[in-house]
Amino acid sequence: MDYLVLTRRLAFILECKNFYGTLLLEDSFNQLIRTANDKEEGFQNPLVQARWHQQQLSTFLSNHGYSQIPIDYLVAFSSPSTIIKTNSRNPSILKKIVHGYNLLERLKETERVYKR
């Protein structure tokens, strides 16, 4: 977990990635494929990593009497020149991925979802 942002309404996990090139979040094998400099490399899907952190934090908070706190997450890619693609048909995945320069706006959008 790179960052944990706490607000009055939720705990927010932020997984930050410093990748360059073209990234494909691939659904069939649930992996991240980077293409850069005519080379293709596979990496762990950062969404899976963020969900794992979410589950671990939820268990920790629940074990310490804080089970009512909603926990959400985002994966932020720091380089504005990184091209992000997905072959997913799941539109909710797109709401969990952001370029760093759009992070503040996406955090505000997410916080508005949690009214209580």
Side-chain angles (χ1 to χ4, degrees), residues 98-116:
V98 65
H99 266 114
Y101 58 83
N102 285 326
L103 183 58
L104 186 57
E105 185 59 35
R106 188 67 66 84
L107 284 170
K108 288 178 183 178
E109 286 174 19
T110 303
E111 190 177 31
R112 282 189 284 257
V113 171
Y114 297 93
K115 299 290 183 189
R116 292 182 9 187

Side-chain angles (χ1 to χ4, degrees), residues 34-51:
R34 174 177 64 185
T35 305
N37 303 323
D38 297 322
K39 183 178 176 186
E40 195 172 72
E41 295 177 87
F43 297 91
Q44 177 184 7
N45 186 329
L47 292 167
V48 172
Q49 184 179 11
R51 279 192 298 268

